[in-house]
Amino acid sequence: MTTRHYDVVVLGTGPAGEGAAMSAAKAGKKVAVIEASSQVGGSCTHLGTIPSKALRHAVKEIIAFNTNTMFRDIGEPRWFSFPKVLDRANKVIDKQVVGRTEYYARNRIDIYFGRGKFKDANTIEVNTYERGPELLVAKQVVIATGSRPYRPADIDFSHPRIYCSDTILSLNHTPRSLIIYGAGVIGCEYASIFCGLGVRVELINPAKKLLSFLDDEITDALSYHLRDGGVLIRHNETYDSVETTERGVVMHMASGKKLRADALLFCNGRSGNTDNLGLDSIGLDVNSRGQLAVNDTYQTQVENVYAVGDVIGWPSLASAAYDQGRAAAANMLGMPGGEFISEVPTGIYTIPEISSVGKTEAELTAEKVPYEVGRAFFKNTARAQITGEAVGMLKILFHRESLELLGIHCFGDQASEIVHIGQAIMKQPGEQNTLKYFLNTTFNYPTMAEAYRVAALNGFNRVF
């Protein structure tokens, strides 16, 4: 068995692992990464962020074509199958893999395709797919193995009509009806995708409302537009058992209801990929969802072992994972830039999409902060009227006295892009974080960004 020595070994090549590996390599360290699949990119590239967002974009274009009266001059509305739409997503995945593979080559980072397991805190055995077992000895190790969909043992995920958010990407037909169990971010996004393809969707939410971490007004808007698209939402419902047949699925609810559909998509939580890593041999424990605990430098209980990304839980976002990886590398190598990632913008790619940063109205009310609200409805902006994307709004929460921005909440087309303008101003120090920036700055016209000026004027008029 060959033994190879490195400064840093990273387990996983998703955003967190990539961020850690690239930062360590650019600091002049000898770096290796271990990837359990046959291509780099992790679940983000192959099973999560990239394919689901590519799917969502394709479906959004289909909806636009089928609802825009201008296109009726070309032909009648078209029906697209799920596999046909999925083919578009696969092309994006291929481009991502090529680009990310080049990053590793350019930075002279060795890639081992295989499964890694700790022998001790500094030694990892990799059972590579091509060369067999090899030993990697490293001064420091970063665990960035990501997560997988939570699969309860009482549901038969081997049945051809039951899917999780990973296996749904292998769906080779378009079901007439679909039960989605779990109304978190993933459940809501797939509800948008499938109802956009004309599938009858029932979205089962074990909680009282959708995405309760969002501002109430945004949550209400999402609920309305999902229902308007044909999604049946059932709140406060949990399943008792799932029955399968050759023709479909029957979900028996704790409330006594029986829900029938052609297929079931179960997406109620995720588990950290920590199985078979040999964590017992280095004294590392995981919680009930397989997640690792870290301190504010992303260091685990073992001094030279760090963990980042979905494997540590919140916020479980690709954007944050990349920054976590960079921060962990900075901390372990004694470089600047190792701040703990605590404030992350929310990006939810439903149709329409959602994004937010900062406090919600409910949080500010509970904290007894004197705030005011400024709104801009997209239907009143020239750019939205031109593009036909009139659904949505921008909402600014600000302090009544200091005019400090406290929260930005956006619902509608390009929400995940629009939010970053407000985020940039919120991050400014002291008095530079102010609503007056939007009052005193000229925006291109017509643009979606202009909504900030409209919202700021709306809010400012409430105060003065």
Side-chain angles (χ1 to χ4, degrees), residues 229-261:
V231 177
L232 175 60
I233 305 172
R234 298 181 185 270
H235 295 297
N236 296 311
E237 292 277 10
T238 56
Y239 80 94
D240 187 51
S241 62
V242 176
E243 176 187 349
T244 56
T245 67
E246 291 184 2
R247 300 185 61 184
V249 176
V250 180
M251 179 169 270
H252 298 262
M253 310 307 293
S255 62
K257 299 182 182 71
K258 290 184 180 180
L259 310 182
R260 302 175 186 273

Side-chain angles (χ1 to χ4, degrees), residues 165-457:
S165 58
D166 283 358
T167 57
I168 196 69
L169 296 172
S170 63
L171 181 66
N172 59 11
H173 69 286
T174 307
R176 285 181 168 276
S177 57
L178 178 69
I179 296 171
I180 299 179
Y181 187 88
V185 172
I186 297 173
C188 289
E189 287 181 349
Y190 273 109
S192 290
I193 289 170
F194 278 101
C195 79
L197 290 173
V199 178
R200 181 170 58 84
V201 176
E202 289 195 51
L203 181 61
I204 312 303
N205 182 22
K208 294 180 180 179
K209 60 186 296 186
L210 296 181
L211 307 180
S212 58
F213 58 88
L214 293 174
D215 187 86
D216 289 342
E217 195 168 1
I218 303 299
T219 301
D220 292 343
L222 174 64
S223 298
Y224 170 81
H225 285 284
L226 282 175
R227 290 189 172 105
D228 188 55
V231 177
L232 175 60
I233 305 172
R234 298 181 185 270
H235 295 297
N236 296 311
E237 292 277 10
T238 56
Y239 80 94
D240 187 51
S241 62
V242 176
E243 176 187 349
T244 56
T245 67
E246 291 184 2
R247 300 185 61 184
V249 176
V250 180
M251 179 169 270
H252 298 262
M253 310 307 293
S255 62
K257 299 182 182 71
K258 290 184 180 180
L259 310 182
R260 302 175 186 273
D262 291 342
L264 165 67
L265 170 56
F266 190 96
C267 46
N268 195 36
R270 296 183 69 83
S271 302
N273 290 326
T274 49
D275 300 343
N276 305 315
L277 287 181
L279 297 181
D280 291 344
S281 64
I282 61 172
L284 268 185
D285 299 320
V286 298
N287 64 17
S288 60
R289 282 292 178 97
Q291 297 166 340
L292 288 162
V294 295
N295 62 19
D296 59 5
T297 68
Y298 296 102
Q299 185 182 46
T300 67
Q301 298 162 299
V302 180
E303 185 179 0
N304 71 306
V305 178
Y306 290 70
V308 288
D310 281 17
V311 78
I312 67 172
W314 185 92
S316 296
L317 294 170
S319 54
Y322 191 84
D323 290 338
Q324 288 172 345
R326 294 178 62 206
N331 290 326
M332 71 169 63
L333 300 175
M335 302 186 305
E339 292 83 5
F340 190 80
I341 309 302
S342 58
E343 187 175 286
V344 181
T346 298
I348 302 171
Y349 294 85
T350 47
I351 303 174
E353 67 189 61
I354 297 168
S355 195
S356 65
V357 65
K359 300 285 188 177
T360 65
E361 285 202 62
E363 289 170 337
L364 293 173
T365 300
E367 295 169 12
K368 298 183 179 180
V369 175
Y371 74 93
E372 194 48 86
V373 183
R375 294 181 180 83
F377 293 95
F378 290 176
K379 66 182 179 180
N380 298 325
T381 64
R383 185 60 178 267
Q385 292 168 3
I386 290 168
T387 62
E389 299 282 358
V391 170
M393 71 167 202
L394 172 66
K395 177 177 181 179
I396 301 175
L397 306 180
F398 63 96
H399 197 284
R400 283 186 59 90
E401 297 164 6
S402 67
L403 302 185
E404 173 190 2
L405 301 186
L406 304 171
I408 307 292
H409 305 276
C410 192
F411 178 79
D413 185 45
Q414 302 180 55
S416 59
E417 303 282 354
I418 294 169
V419 75
H420 292 304
I421 300 171
Q423 180 190 27
I425 303 305
M426 283 181 65
K427 294 292 286 185
Q428 299 305 305
E431 294 181 357
Q432 294 180 48
N433 173 8
T434 174
L435 186 75
K436 289 183 179 179
Y437 173 83
F438 301 119
L439 301 174
N440 301 330
T441 300
T442 302
F443 286 82
N444 280 334
Y445 177 86
T447 61
M448 294 305 295
E450 184 208 358
Y452 276 99
R453 183 182 62 81
V454 175
L457 286 167

Side-chain angles (χ1 to χ4, degrees), residues 6-11 34 117-125 135-143 277-284 299-306 332:
Y6 293 92
D7 295 312
V8 178
V9 169
V10 180
L11 289 145
I34 301 169
K117 185 176 183 179
F118 282 94
K119 304 293 286 185
D120 58 53
N122 296 99
T123 309
I124 299 173
E125 180 180 339
L135 287 180
L136 307 186
V137 179
K139 297 174 185 176
Q140 287 149 324
V141 179
V142 180
I143 301 173
L277 287 181
L279 297 181
D280 291 344
S281 64
I282 61 172
L284 268 185
Q299 185 182 46
T300 67
Q301 298 162 299
V302 180
E303 185 179 0
N304 71 306
V305 178
Y306 290 70
M332 71 169 63

